[in-house]
Amino acid sequence: MRKSTRTLLAAALVLGVAAGPPVVPAVAAAPPAAGQAGAAAGPGPAGAVPAPGLAEAMSAVVAGLPRADATAALVRVGGAEGVWRGGAGVHDLESGAPADQTARFRAGSVTKVFTAATVLQLAAEGRIDLDRTARSYLPELIPGRYARVTVRQLLNHTHGIPAAGLPGTTVEEWYAHRFDTYTPQELVRSAVAKPREFRPGSRQHYLNIGYTVAGLIVERVTGDDFEDQVERRILRPLGLRDTYLPRGAAELAGPYNHGYQTMRLDDGTTGPRDVSVWGTSEAWAAGDLVSTTADLERFVQELFAGRVVRGPLLAEMFTLPQVADLTTGAPAAYSAGLSMKRLGGREVWGKTGGRWGYSTAVASTRDGSRTLVHSVNSTDAKGQDTNRTVLGLMVAAYGPPD
């Protein structure tokens, strides 16, 4: 990209100038006027009722995209309390074309919900025992210092295994290593070579490594690739045709809106860099899923209705371990695959996910009366602070944190 063009694009982001179309709602608001960019994505589900004020609140959050924190957003709110579907922003900064409302995106750690569901299905079949140790399944990988870590602890982040060693400490360094490849076994060996962070079951520390081990256990007990198991057990039965596990591929398959990350550029300036092409082998069963808002909405609705994980094992996904978080000292917030926040005076369960240039979330009340799925093309993905647009969507859907 020429410097002059890039400078103008960066300025547009900082100033919040909308280089693309206005908000494009599909339910509960009028379509764009004649001559405006973008088009309504179509009618909502039969019998869907828009909640009072929902359209206005959601539209206000995504109005003005692209801006400093995000270049696009795709949103779906569902459930008996009201429905809204819409989006805003651009397909890419260079063309300024409207964001594709049906685009695929990197879902990041939302992958963990699919992994946990797969493990729990296998537990229901008696092929995995949640109270059995990871070492008993993978004796060649899990050393004695982690001999007491159970499968349940892998899923709820109370295992005490530290993160795998990966190169880089800044986004610029990680970008330089974006095409590095790792096997799951390499990641596990790197992690378990270190001293444990705490006695298994005594603390909670949210990390990817537990789900990498869980993915390998799925392969060990089934004799099948992890990706094939997720496809056979979840993707095909639910008809999630636009969702796939990329097996480490750096390119996104099918239509997608470009992701950008604010970082130091080659000429020494700071601005948005296109990070849509980025390898995912270091994430694997913990974070490499690619999906759409429509597919994720269907998944979360089926999951919460008990049609993905059935019977008593579904309770594992809504049970928080009674321990404290290692870093904050707060009560544990992660269950098997999900997390819980109190918003607007009630419990909201779900999962967020971040890959460079993409921030994703699935959320629902326990009874499924209000669901939220979004993909935000955030320029500060994986940052320490919650992205402005992401936070705004959650509050607009459920209310402020208690």
Side-chain angles (χ1 to χ4, degrees):
M1 185 189 300
R2 291 177 302 172
K3 182 177 180 181
S4 59
T5 303
R6 188 183 66 231
T7 302
L8 288 172
L9 293 173
L13 287 172
V14 171
L15 295 173
V17 176
V23 179
V24 182
V27 177
Q36 288 182 326
V49 178
L54 178 62
E56 293 80 1
M58 302 304 283
S59 296
V61 174
V62 298
L65 293 176
R67 57 178 180 242
D69 69 304
T71 59
L74 308 177
V75 189
R76 295 172 77 97
V77 179
E81 293 183 3
V83 173
W84 187 83
R85 296 175 181 173
V90 294
H91 171 265
D92 65 277
L93 287 174
E94 287 191 293
S95 73
D100 182 347
Q101 300 294 301
T102 61
R104 287 174 171 169
F105 48 82
R106 301 190 189 281
S109 285
V110 172
T111 310
K112 292 183 177 70
V113 193
F114 288 74
T115 302
T118 300
V119 172
L120 293 173
Q121 284 189 10
L122 287 163
E125 296 166 9
R127 302 172 73 181
I128 288 179
D129 183 343
L130 299 183
D131 292 315
R132 188 175 165 185
T133 67
R135 180 176 168 86
S136 69
Y137 291 102
L138 303 168
E140 77 285 5
L141 274 180
I142 308 299
R145 67 166 62 94
Y146 295 107
R148 295 190 177 182
V149 171
T150 67
V151 176
R152 179 179 282 105
Q153 291 164 351
L154 296 175
L155 297 182
N156 66 21
H157 305 281
T158 61
H159 47 74
I161 304 173
L166 296 172
T169 58
T170 67
V171 63
E172 293 82 9
E173 291 170 345
W174 291 320
Y175 179 77
H177 289 276
R178 66 194 182 280
F179 298 131
D180 291 359
T181 59
Y182 307 90
T183 67
Q185 292 83 356
E186 288 172 337
L187 295 170
V188 173
R189 290 190 186 101
S190 169
V192 299
K194 304 174 187 178
R196 70 186 191 187
E197 293 189 323
F198 49 81
R199 179 172 52 83
S202 66
R203 295 287 189 274
Q204 184 172 80
H205 189 193
Y206 178 85
L207 292 171
N208 282 348
I209 191 63
Y211 278 73
T212 303
V213 178
L216 287 171
I217 291 173
V218 169
E219 294 195 332
R220 179 59 53 89
V221 302
T222 64
D224 197 7
D225 288 347
F226 167 76
E227 294 87 348
D228 292 338
Q229 282 292 305
V230 174
E231 181 176 353
R232 183 174 72 81
R233 292 173 173 276
I234 300 175
L235 305 189
R236 286 204 300 265
L238 297 185
L240 308 184
R241 296 180 179 84
D242 291 314
T243 301
Y244 71 96
L245 294 159
R247 300 174 189 260
E251 295 274 359
L252 280 162
Y256 64 90
N257 298 319
H258 288 234
Y260 295 85
Q261 193 79 20
T262 299
M263 67 174 74
R264 188 177 64 254
L265 304 174
D266 295 338
D267 60 6
T269 63
T270 298
R273 186 192 289 274
D274 192 328
V275 291
S276 307
V277 179
W278 196 306
T280 59
S281 65
E282 96 292 343
W284 194 52
D288 70 351
L289 190 81
V290 174
S291 192
T292 64
T293 54
D295 273 8
L296 289 182
E297 182 180 62
R298 180 177 179 85
F299 172 68
V300 74
Q301 290 172 344
E302 295 292 301
L303 178 69
F304 278 58
R307 291 189 286 268
V308 178
V309 178
R310 301 176 186 273
L313 282 169
L314 180 60
E316 294 286 337
M317 304 191 84
F318 299 98
T319 302
L320 299 176
Q322 299 302 301
V323 298
D325 183 89
L326 177 67
T327 57
T328 68
Y334 296 94
S335 63
L338 300 176
S339 63
M340 191 277 286
K341 297 182 183 296
R342 289 195 59 85
L343 300 171
R346 58 182 172 175
E347 290 186 356
V348 177
W349 293 82
K351 190 70 189 72
T352 59
R355 293 292 300 178
W356 304 112
Y358 298 89
S359 295
T360 302
V362 298
S364 180
T365 53
R366 180 65 184 87
D367 62 1
S369 59
R370 169 149 294 180
T371 63
L372 169 68
V373 173
H374 71 65
S375 169
V376 174
N377 293 66
S378 56
T379 62
D380 57 357
K382 299 174 77 69
Q384 292 185 345
D385 298 324
T386 303
N387 176 273
R388 164 189 167 187
T389 301
V390 169
L391 179 60
L393 291 171
M394 193 67 71
V395 171
Y398 294 107
D402 291 5

